[in-house]
Each structure stands twice: as C-alpha cells, then as structure tokens.
Amino acid sequence: MTISDAPYPIRPVSQDEFDAFHRVDMHAFHGSPLTEDDKQQVFSRLEFDRSLAAFDGPTPVGTAGAYTFALSVPGPGTLPAAGVTWVSVLPSHRRRGVLRSMMRHQLADIRERGEPLAILWASESVIYSRYGYGRAMWHADLQLKRGEATLAPWVPRDPGLRLRLAEPEAALPELAKVYDTVLPSRPGIIARNDAQWQGTIYDPAEWRHGASPLHCLLAEDDSGPRGYALYRGQSHWDETSLPGATINVRELAAADPAAAVAMWTDLLSRDLTAEFNIRNRPVDDPLLFQLTDPRRARTRLKDALWVRITDVPGALAGRRYSSPVDAVIEVRDELLPGNAGRWRLATSGSGGLDGYAASCEPSGSAADVELEVTALGAAYLGGTGLGGLAGAGLVTERRPGAVRQLAAALAWEPAPWCPVDF
C-alpha cells in the first residue's frame, strides 16, 4: 500500500518497475545501464518488498533499498540487521526533502520488522549522521612493493598445510566453510547465503578493466579448508621489458594464523609482480604485525560500516561486553522516538570468554551518560571508542568516571571487520 510522504509518495517497487528504479541510481552515481547478466545478478539478491521509491507522479525520483542480514556483534552471536543500499535521488529533485522522507520511512519499517540495527557503506560521509548512523568501523588498505612484503621469520607455519588454486565457482563450498568459521570471531561480519556468495564471485569481463579473471587460492590440510584468498592480477611490462604486474587481493579469510601466513607468503612473493594492493582489511590485521617491516605496508585508514540503532534495548542487550558496567544512558533520537529516553545498561554474571551478558531496561534514574543515537551506533561494534567521541563533545558525562566505565565495556577485541560490500 502506498504511504503518503508528501509531496513525493513512497512505496516499494515491483520487478517490472526496476528499470525506472535503477535509472535514479544510474543518474545519481554517474553509472551505466545494466547488462542482462548484471540485472539477473541483482534480481537474485534484491528484496523488492524492501526496495522503496519516492514518486513524482508516475516517475521514481528517489530510491532506498535494504537487504535482510544477520550481523556478527561483540560476543558469540549475530543480530538481525538491515543492509541499507540503493540510496539515491534524481539530480533534478535534490534538496527537496526526498532523502529525508525516505530515510524516515525506511527506518520506521526496519524497526517494525524487528531488526535492531541498520548498517550501510556511506557513499558520502556527510550524509548519514543526519539520520542517526555513526561510523562504527574502520578498514585499512595496504600497498606493498616487490621485495618489501617479506614476513618475519618467527611467524607460525604449518608443514601440513597445502595451497591449491581453484576456480571460485567450484570452490564455493570451501569458501563458505572457512567464512562461517571466521564469522563469530569478529564483530561486523555479515552471514552470506547462496545468492550473496554468487554475488561475491560474480566477475563479468567488463568489470575487470584489463585485469585477470577472479582467482581463488585455498589453504587446506587433510581435515579440509582452513583459508582462502580471492584476488586478481594485472600484467604490465615497461619499455625495457621489465615486469611490473599488480596483484589486487579482494578478500582473504583464514581460520588460524598459520593458514593466513601460508597464503600471504605465496601471494606476496609471486613472480613478475611489482606491487601488491590489499583492500578492506581490519585495522588490527595480523599481517601488519607479521611483516618484517610493517611501515612498508603504506597503510591508509578509511571508514567502513556505519551503524544505526533502531531498537536501543534490543541492540544493547543483544551483544556482550568486555567488562562489567551499570550505567544509565540517556539517548536522544529525533527520527525514532521509541529510542529516546533513559536506559539502564547492566551486565550480569562473571563474564568469560564470550564477555558479559547485559540487560537494557527503561530507567527513571538520573542519567550517567548522555549522547545522540549517532554516537551510540558509532561505538556499538567496539571499533570506535566512546572516549574519543566524548573528547569530541559528542558524549556528555553526568557521573564522574561513567564514560570510562562504559567505554571499556563497549570496547571489543578483535576490531570489527566487514568483508561484504553491498
């Protein structure tokens, strides 16, 4: 049913309306029409009941979609999360409130579906804090030159490991087994279904820009796979016939340090190669500590997932904590009034390897800490420190020591990481 969001009504689109839906995205992101193969790949994952458009008469002028995800959170479990995507406004309709109306509409729908979290990759970092999203994760891009990528002699090695090249399509069961093993080890990882795995290895020639097809390297032993890497190479020879190929690592996951060492040792020593580009690694990637000269990694930090809490008690009670905490948190949330108010976050039990469980209930007591829902989302996965947010003026301490206590509880090791781009 159409929901009136004057002056541009918002409703889900049907598959028959996809071309008009995509036209908005194409103009906003300076893209191109999809091939039929691209379109079928999109259709295999797009959830049309969650794909919204704002209409000016019969014409879509704004879009916002969401995927139904399970997101690993601090502790051993996952929580339902809406993966927000396809957000765009037709250039002719900018600055008319279209995006704000869609964000309000979408966030209300996410909350009604029982998803306590919304997550996204921000195309522009100035946009989404206005709608309660906080920068919850940071990634590192690494660039190494040939001869600089040696690993220290003390790194763990397992002589029982074997490396095998495989076609990504044929190796999907092995990839999924490793990925599912890694999933609970870090916050921020999204569980993948079959359609999402097909999207991960989708590799049309027109996307390669002169590089090789996507390759897969497996690390395994007699018990099965322990790690994988997805990468591509781009050949280059200079005027004097010196080789200068580039290897671009798209994704590497390992169930244990020795498996990661085996794959990095192979990839970073490939012949005819002058440069290695490794994208979207966790900021505490073990590789940074295993390189003989870590400065040679030329690390560049960038923001990754942004988190928007749509159900404060559900989200805070749904994760574990690194240390005991008992604090009343006053949350301000303009777009979702159900989040606004004072909440008592209190851990229980003796903790353990999985951290401390907690309850989160409404409270009539005075607040120990006050903050916007944006700051709470930023700190939620343990990758953005609450103390830094307080130092920036985004968190107010009402009880001395409360920020430090709450920051210690929210912090998590290891750092969050999301290898899934959506």
Side-chain angles (χ1 to χ4, degrees):
M1 183 176 66
T2 299
I3 299 175
S4 179
D5 292 84
Y8 305 107
I10 297 170
R11 63 168 174 82
V13 297
S14 67
Q15 186 166 321
D16 291 341
E17 296 173 300
F18 175 77
D19 288 343
F21 178 89
H22 177 256
R23 179 175 172 269
V24 181
D25 182 86
M26 183 177 67
H27 281 287
F29 285 91
H30 314 293
S32 301
L34 298 176
T35 68
E36 282 304 312
D37 286 345
D38 292 343
K39 191 180 295 187
Q40 292 308 310
Q41 182 60 228
V42 170
F43 285 173
S44 71
R45 291 173 289 151
L46 197 64
E47 300 175 42
F48 281 96
D49 65 316
R50 308 195 70 167
S51 301
L52 303 173
F55 286 82
D56 185 354
T59 304
V61 295
T63 64
Y67 297 117
T68 302
F69 286 149
L71 180 76
S72 64
V73 297
T78 62
L79 283 181
V84 174
T85 185
W86 289 95
V87 179
S88 60
V89 175
L90 209 60
S92 58
H93 285 69
R94 294 175 301 156
R95 316 297 188 259
R96 300 189 189 183
V98 175
L99 181 59
R100 185 171 181 83
S101 292
M102 287 193 302
M103 289 290 99
R104 283 182 175 274
H105 187 117
Q106 186 183 60
L107 287 170
D109 179 67
I110 290 168
R111 183 179 171 93
E112 288 172 6
R113 288 172 182 264
E115 296 165 323
L117 303 169
I119 57 176
L120 56 77
W121 296 84
S123 57
E124 291 186 85
S125 58
V126 299
I127 296 175
Y128 290 99
S129 59
R130 301 200 301 260
Y131 309 113
Y133 288 86
R135 289 179 293 179
M137 185 187 301
W138 304 85
H139 277 179
D141 287 349
L142 315 179
Q143 182 187 62
L144 294 115
K145 306 295 184 181
R146 182 168 182 81
E148 300 176 344
T150 58
L151 300 189
W154 52 260
V155 297
R157 300 184 187 274
D158 183 348
L161 275 167
R162 302 181 300 271
L163 297 179
R164 175 167 61 92
L165 292 170
E167 292 299 319
E169 178 79 32
L172 278 179
E174 287 91 346
L175 271 59
K177 183 175 180 180
V178 172
Y179 188 87
D180 291 345
T181 300
V182 173
L183 177 67
S185 69
R186 285 184 184 268
I189 302 178
I190 295 167
R192 281 173 168 150
N193 58 28
D194 290 344
Q196 287 153 2
W197 272 114
Q198 288 295 332
T200 299
I201 64 168
Y202 184 57
D203 186 36
E206 60 269 21
W207 287 12
R208 298 173 191 162
H209 304 293
S212 73
L214 190 66
H215 296 312
C216 176
L217 176 68
L218 290 170
E220 57 191 6
D221 61 16
D222 292 341
S223 65
R226 288 165 51 184
Y228 70 82
L230 296 172
Y231 67 98
R232 65 174 82 250
Q234 188 151 14
S235 180
H236 176 75
W237 302 82
D238 72 10
E239 296 83 354
T240 61
S241 297
L242 288 174
T246 300
I247 287 181
N248 298 302
V249 180
R250 176 190 290 186
E251 182 173 319
L252 184 145
D256 58 86
V261 164
M263 292 185 293
W264 286 128
T265 299
D266 176 82
L267 289 169
L268 299 178
S269 64
R270 291 288 179 91
D271 293 336
L272 307 180
T273 305
E275 184 174 286
F276 306 90
N277 294 316
I278 306 166
R279 296 183 62 251
N280 292 338
R281 300 303 299 169
V283 294
D284 60 350
D285 192 340
L287 177 62
L288 291 168
F289 304 96
Q290 294 168 334
L291 289 166
T292 302
D293 185 356
R295 186 176 294 176
R296 300 291 180 177
R298 299 173 179 83
T299 306
R300 299 184 303 276
L301 291 182
K302 60 186 182 183
D303 58 283
L305 274 195
W306 292 55
V307 169
R308 209 295 181 190
I309 295 177
T310 59
D311 175 0
V312 166
L316 293 183
R319 56 156 289 177
R320 297 295 181 93
Y321 294 84
S322 292
S323 60
V325 65
D326 189 343
V328 175
I329 306 168
E330 183 166 333
V331 179
R332 296 183 294 272
D333 190 339
E334 176 190 350
L335 298 184
L336 292 177
N339 277 337
R342 295 175 185 170
W343 306 93
R344 182 187 176 196
L345 176 67
T347 53
S348 59
S350 57
L353 293 177
D354 293 333
Y356 292 83
S359 61
C360 185
E361 303 290 342
S363 176
S365 300
D368 298 314
V369 173
E370 298 175 3
L371 75 175
E372 298 283 344
V373 73
T374 304
L376 190 59
Y380 181 76
L381 292 177
T384 299
L386 198 70
L389 296 170
L394 298 173
V395 178
T396 302
E397 183 176 76
R398 296 301 185 191
R399 173 173 60 82
V403 166
R404 185 173 65 251
Q405 180 194 37
L406 184 57
L410 285 165
W412 198 259
E413 293 287 345
W417 177 51
C418 184
V420 179
D421 195 354
F422 56 89

